[in-house]
Amino acid sequence: MIASNYLKSNTLRTSLRYFSIPWIVTIGYLIIFLLLPTAALISKSLTIGPEEFWRIATAKEALSAYEVSFVTALIAAGINGVMGTLLTWVLVRYEFPGKKLIDTAVDLPFALPTAVAGLVLATIYSESGVIGRLFVPFGIKIAFTRLGVFVAMLFISLPFIVRTLQPVLQELEEEIEEAAWSLGASASQTFWRVILPPLMPAILTGIALGFSRAVGEYGSVLIISSGIPFQDLIAPVLIFQRLEQYDYEGATVIGTVLMLVSLLLLLIINLLQQWGSRYAAK
């Protein structure tokens, strides 16, 4: 009997330990600011019934908007994964005049209002802009096309790769590379087998963050794109257009699909991160 009471008391203490104040505050915070809004969005979209939900979610205009949003964001995040790694390498391993200024400027997309970013990009990438006019002789129009959406997503997702990778690269000891060279490894072997493996988890994390930010971008894309369906209309802008038409159910359905697909893609990227961690540990 005494042993049984002691066992129950010990179990109760163990259970109460999980319900400490930090645990309650954390769970409460997540419920209020993450789970409840998500549940409200899904429940609102389901009020119209499954057939109507499917009709709105798979409408041609919506499918085109998903494709523009996700494919463009994925390509932008992938390219920034390469170029962001190169930029981080230069910032960490090289000393040159103006380095601190460039390092600070990388954070500009974080601080700049998205509408201002869109205005700046639309100005310089328009047909009369500093960069846009260079492509006019080749028949390439950037602003107010899908290319403009791509440029905006590149702009806003770059800092996520650089700031995620930078501390990892700073901690990477150069002596390991020198040891590889002294053992006869070539430059390419040193990069692929010594440098890249420990950087892979951070690179994939940066790509995931950049992709998430690009998919949800609204302000800058709204200004630099024409917002024409089947051309450069992204899903967030389509949601706003539905709200302007007082089509709240349609907006919540498209928002729910956007959220679910984003979660699925992030899950896949997280699995790749785990693979990258195991690859780095070998």
Side-chain angles (χ1 to χ4, degrees):
M1 185 65 181
I2 294 175
S4 175
N5 289 338
Y6 175 77
L7 186 60
K8 288 180 181 177
S9 175
N10 193 34
T11 305
L12 181 61
R13 281 199 300 272
T14 304
S15 301
L16 288 175
R17 189 174 58 189
Y18 290 108
F19 292 97
S20 61
I21 292 178
W23 189 91
I24 294 171
V25 171
T26 301
I27 296 300
Y29 190 87
L30 288 176
I31 289 174
I32 293 172
F33 293 105
L34 181 63
L35 298 181
L36 277 181
T38 304
L41 175 67
I42 295 174
S43 62
K44 176 67 177 176
S45 65
L46 294 176
T47 56
I48 57 175
E51 290 184 2
E52 185 65 9
F53 182 98
W54 181 254
R55 188 191 65 78
I56 296 173
T58 58
K60 289 183 179 179
E61 187 180 9
L63 291 176
S64 172
Y66 303 145
E67 190 269 335
V68 173
S69 293
F70 288 114
V71 174
T72 310
L74 201 58
I75 295 173
I79 290 177
N80 269 338
V82 177
M83 296 309 298
T85 301
L86 180 62
L87 174 58
T88 310
W89 181 270
V90 171
L91 288 175
V92 172
R93 293 297 177 88
Y94 291 83
E95 293 296 333
F96 54 89
K99 176 182 173 179
K100 287 187 177 179
L101 181 63
I102 294 176
D103 195 19
T104 304
V106 168
D107 291 330
L108 201 56
F110 284 144
L112 204 62
T114 56
V116 177
L119 188 62
V120 172
L121 293 174
T123 302
I124 63 173
Y125 285 98
S126 66
E127 291 182 341
S128 58
V130 176
I131 298 177
R133 70 174 63 175
L134 300 177
F135 292 88
V136 172
F138 303 101
I140 300 174
K141 185 180 179 183
I142 298 178
F144 314 113
T145 67
R146 187 167 179 174
L147 268 179
V149 176
F150 173 69
V151 169
M153 289 182 174
L154 275 179
F155 177 78
I156 59 169
S157 61
L158 179 62
F160 290 92
I161 285 88
V162 176
R163 293 309 178 214
T164 305
L165 183 59
Q166 199 168 24
V168 180
L169 192 54
Q170 286 171 338
E171 292 296 322
L172 192 66
E173 298 177 358
E174 295 185 42
E175 288 78 6
I176 298 176
E177 299 166 41
E178 294 170 359
W181 295 333
S182 67
L183 293 172
S186 63
S188 62
Q189 288 174 326
T190 303
F191 175 76
W192 289 108
R193 298 185 180 183
V194 177
I195 299 173
L196 187 60
L199 300 182
M200 278 303 291
I203 293 173
L204 290 173
T205 301
I207 290 174
L209 293 173
F211 168 77
S212 305
R213 181 69 182 85
V215 167
E217 176 59 13
Y218 172 77
S220 61
V221 175
L222 180 67
I223 294 175
I224 199 172
S225 69
S226 61
I228 298 175
F230 308 108
Q231 292 187 20
D232 59 357
L233 178 65
I234 60 172
V237 175
L238 178 60
I239 292 173
F240 185 73
Q241 289 179 353
R242 293 292 170 89
L243 290 174
E244 283 185 324
Q245 298 164 3
Y246 303 102
D247 181 10
Y248 300 118
E249 289 79 12
T252 54
V253 168
I254 296 168
T256 300
V257 173
L258 199 64
M259 182 187 66
L260 294 177
V261 176
S262 297
L263 282 175
L264 178 63
L265 291 174
L266 287 175
L267 180 63
I268 294 172
I269 292 173
N270 282 333
L271 291 175
L272 287 174
Q273 282 179 281
Q274 293 178 7
W275 170 82
S277 300
R278 287 198 296 271
Y279 178 66
K282 290 181 179 178

